[in-house]
Amino acid sequence: MIKLSKRLEMIARRVPQGSRVADIGSDHALLPTYLVQQGMISFAVAGEVNEGPRDAAQNQVRSAGLGAKISVRLGNGLAVIEPGEVETITIAGMGGSLIASILDAGKQKLTGVRTLILQPNVGEDAVRQWLDENGWLLTSEAILEEDGKIYEILTATYNEANENQEAYESMRQQLYAPRVIGQSEDGEITLSKEMLMRLGPWLVHDPSQVWVTKWESELAKMDRVRVSMSQSDLESAKQKKEILTQEMKQIQEVLTCLQKVQP
Ligand code: SAM
């Protein structure tokens, strides 16, 4: 039996029981192997664009004796699946822009897919943006720390059956509707749509210590960039520094405000 990392285990827990799954960028096919071994699913595609990880996936599946249940395929993104073949897609351990571009390039393969479970290593906002622009409802977000790294897991569903379309659309609109979260000396602190995309609409709603740690560390990184820009006399560097300063101020305000309202 395979033992997963905490990160992959949290992804596995979000896979709907009994669904057919495609794990794109599967590397050693750990996730699909675990899901089948646990009896959570009975069919999976493990997709890989590179031959090395594809071979590793094939070895894993063969040694687990699961060749009849897990199909290992070589190809770019969603090119490895047929429309209607799976109901759940997992894409983990890549940058957010790459995940969004894989989904965008494979839109026609998303027919019949009801659940996306996405774990970008960076650039989560690019994933949220793609989901929002393409009719997917972000239904949950999770955040965890493992081996000194922080990961976010985004789960989204698609209302393909058009059930309660009005309620579904209203939930989609509400998710990124600007929210007032407190007061500062300058007036109300409002979370804009852009800020919600960046910080995570569900994560902001229920800010955990890990989430606060993540944004404190992001602020420290931004500050280092700001300091390096201060050493340049270029007008463009001065402008970038100004934008960065504003962004940092907004994020800091939100962190301070949300930490105050924590019980
Ligand atoms: N999903 C596993 C996880 O989260 O532990 C493996 C992540 S590994 C860091 C990223 C994998 O994605 C690599 O094996 C890489 O070959 C694969 N990959 C990158 N771009 C891809 C694409 N466009 N289509 C399929 N696989 C891709």
Side-chain angles (χ1 to χ4, degrees):
M1 285 282 194
I2 282 212
K3 173 122 177 64
L4 292 184
S5 61
K6 186 168 145 193
R7 172 182 65 87
L8 286 176
E9 217 264 320
M10 273 182 86
I11 295 171
R13 262 193 265 147
R14 282 158 176 78
V15 171
Q17 179 82 25
S19 64
R20 289 168 299 167
V21 177
D23 183 39
I24 304 300
S26 198
D27 198 357
H28 283 68
L30 294 179
L31 183 61
T33 303
Y34 175 87
L35 289 167
V36 174
Q37 283 181 337
Q38 295 293 317
M40 294 168 74
I41 62 165
S42 55
F43 172 75
V45 173
E48 250 306 328
V49 75
N50 290 310
E51 285 181 11
R54 187 277 312 266
D55 293 347
Q58 228 149 28
N59 290 339
Q60 177 71 258
V61 169
R62 251 190 239 125
S63 69
L66 294 177
K69 294 185 172 176
I70 303 174
S71 170
V72 178
R73 300 179 189 170
L74 185 67
N76 190 355
L78 305 191
V80 296
I81 52 168
E82 295 302 322
E85 199 179 13
V86 298
E87 295 98 21
T88 301
I89 293 179
T90 55
I91 313 181
M94 303 176 201
S97 304
L98 178 57
I99 292 179
S101 74
I102 286 175
L103 292 169
D104 207 58
K107 267 185 198 166
Q108 71 287 1
K109 301 292 182 72
L110 292 173
T111 307
V113 176
R114 301 295 294 265
T115 309
L116 296 175
I117 305 165
L118 310 168
Q119 183 268 299
N121 285 342
V122 290
E124 293 83 0
D125 51 344
V127 176
R128 292 188 185 102
Q129 180 121 20
W130 186 90
L131 294 169
D132 187 53
E133 285 171 359
N134 289 279
W136 288 80
L137 173 65
L138 183 67
T139 47
S140 78
E141 294 176 311
I143 188 161
L144 72 141
E145 186 167 12
E146 185 172 43
D147 298 333
K149 288 193 188 135
I150 294 180
Y151 303 101
E152 293 185 13
I153 301 170
L154 315 184
T155 305
T157 59
Y158 193 74
N159 193 18
E160 198 183 47
N162 276 332
E163 287 155 13
N164 283 323
Q165 190 62 24
E166 230 171 85
Y168 177 83
E169 282 308 324
S170 145
M171 280 191 282
R172 286 202 335 106
Q173 301 300 325
Q174 279 302 309
L175 201 56
Y176 295 108
R179 301 176 201 166
V180 175
I181 54 162
Q183 293 281 334
S184 76
E185 287 165 8
D186 304 333
E188 283 179 339
I189 301 174
T190 305
L191 275 173
S192 62
K193 179 172 182 174
E194 193 192 3
M195 207 54 153
L196 286 162
M197 288 264 174
R198 191 157 182 189
L199 302 178
W202 293 103
L203 296 171
V204 157
H205 184 66
D206 186 14
S208 64
Q209 188 49 52
V210 178
W211 180 85
V212 171
T213 304
K214 168 179 172 153
W215 284 103
E216 283 173 348
S217 140
E218 290 296 319
L219 280 173
K221 274 189 224 159
M222 288 164 92
D223 199 41
R224 286 196 289 276
V225 176
R226 193 168 58 153
V227 168
S228 72
M229 278 172 181
S230 306
Q231 287 152 6
S232 166
D233 290 332
L234 288 173
E235 191 52 38
S236 59
K238 278 185 196 155
Q239 282 171 5
K240 277 188 196 151
K241 188 184 151 201
E242 187 49 41
I243 293 170
L244 206 53
T245 305
Q246 283 308 318
E247 283 179 1
M248 287 175 65
K249 184 170 172 249
Q250 282 179 15
I251 295 170
Q252 188 57 68
E253 248 178 14
V254 173
L255 283 190
T256 308
C257 183
L258 291 177
Q259 282 175 287
K260 265 191 216 148
V261 297
Q262 290 261 314

